[in-house]
């Protein structure tokens, strides 16, 4: 079984008298250990797709299965519990809690688990060390640069050791150098911690870190890896 499976997923929003259907009859799977980069024009449903993977939003029809659970069948309590082991989410705007330190922000998802204080502290320290921010543990978000705040957000996303990390334009607010550093870090989550990563980005440079590139277009996923963009040798069989 794949770590992520979408079967016939359609998502429709009512917007005034109109309906919008960014995702339509979508079948899509991601295997354990993949680093998938999801691209597509603004409004093509990328965030909607990540939201459904995280159980933030439900499909209108179809099934979304992540880490062995059909997400839309879970009760709010089950959903919260599933999320701690299944997905961590990294937002473009970091979404840290401004009155909490880096340490306390990373602690938030861990409070949902029944851990001793010592074990919680051990996991926070591990997560902050993984993003090389041990020395900023007691800083507030406003006392950190954008890149540092995004690294705290990544530490928060991995603190509960979820199988999947979802990242929505994680380098969108960062300068080139900081973006590169962030991408190196995300790549390491896959290579060294065995995470499965689904990242939305507009940044072709960031996309280079991924092991698979997919485009969302008209509600459907188009795999672009291996596409015969420039006479790829030996790749003449598929017609995308
Ligand atoms: N909660 C919502 N209510 C109504 N329409 C929405 C909602 N969320 C997203 N949409 C619409 O769905 C489409 C896809 O949005 P989104 O997933 O945010 O696109 P992307 O992330 O690719 O830019 C857009 O037309 C957007 O306006
Ligand atoms: Mg978006």
């Amino acid at each position: 079984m794949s770590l992520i499976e979408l079967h016939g997923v359609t998502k429709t929003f009512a917007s005034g008298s109109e309906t919008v259907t960014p995702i339509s009859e979508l079948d899509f799977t991601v295997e354990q250990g993949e680093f998938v980069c999801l691209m597509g024009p603004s409004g093509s449903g990328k965030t909607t797709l990540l939201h459904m993977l995280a159980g933030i939003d439900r499909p209108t029809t179809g099934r979304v299965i992540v880490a062995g659970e059909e997400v839309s069948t879970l009760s709010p309590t089950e959903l919260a519990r599933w999320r701690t082991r299944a997905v961590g989410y990294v937002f473009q705007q970091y979404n840290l809690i401004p009155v909490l330190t880096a340490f306390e922000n990373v602690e938030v998802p861990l409070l949902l688990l029944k851990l001793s204080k010592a074990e919680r502290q051990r996991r926070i320290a591990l997560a902050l060390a993984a993003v090389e921010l041990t020395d900023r543990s007691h800083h507030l978000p406003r006392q950190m640069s954008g890149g540092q705040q995004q690294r705290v957000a990544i530490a928060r996303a991995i603190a509960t050791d979820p199988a999947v990390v979802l990242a929505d334009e994680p380098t969108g607010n960062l300068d080139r150098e900081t973006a590169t550093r962030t991408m190196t870090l995300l790549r390491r989550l896959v290579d060294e911690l065995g995470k499965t990563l689904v990242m939305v980005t507009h940044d072709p440079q960031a996309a280079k870190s991924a092991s698979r590139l997919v485009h969302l277009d008209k509600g459907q996923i188009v795999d672009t890896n291996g596409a015969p963009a420039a006479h790829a040798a030996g790749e003449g069989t598929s017609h995308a």
Side-chain angles (χ1 to χ4, degrees), residues 4 50 53-54 87-91 164-168 196-199:
I4 296 173
L50 289 194
L53 295 179
V87 297
Y89 207 103
V90 179
F91 302 87
V164 181
V165 175
L166 304 170
D168 199 349
T196 300
L197 186 54
V198 181
M199 175 183 78

Side-chain angles (χ1 to χ4, degrees), residues 40-48 50-51 89 92 168-169 200 202:
S42 181
S44 60
K46 303 180 297 296
T47 296
T48 301
L50 289 194
H51 281 175
Y89 207 103
Q92 178 176 350
D168 199 349
E169 305 194 34
V200 169
H202 287 298

Side-chain angles (χ1 to χ4, degrees), residues 51-134:
H51 281 175
M52 289 193 290
L53 295 179
I56 295 170
D57 217 340
R58 288 163 187 253
T60 307
T61 58
R63 298 191 302 142
V64 176
I65 300 162
V66 180
E69 293 284 356
E70 184 170 346
V71 184
S72 58
T73 65
L74 301 177
S75 71
T77 313
E78 290 169 333
L79 197 58
R81 200 166 296 144
W82 161 84
R83 216 178 261 129
T84 60
R85 71 173 171 82
V87 297
Y89 207 103
V90 179
F91 302 87
Q92 178 176 350
Q93 321 278 353
Y94 329 131
N95 290 10
L96 299 176
I97 300 173
V99 296
L100 300 183
T101 63
F103 187 95
E104 291 163 341
N105 266 284
V106 177
E107 184 171 32
V108 171
L110 291 168
L111 294 171
L112 294 166
L113 301 176
K114 289 195 181 77
L115 302 173
S116 67
K117 190 175 177 195
E119 174 61 13
R120 214 164 55 230
Q121 290 182 337
R122 194 186 69 84
R123 295 214 197 175
I124 298 165
L126 265 179
L128 285 171
V131 300
E132 296 166 0
L133 276 180
T134 304

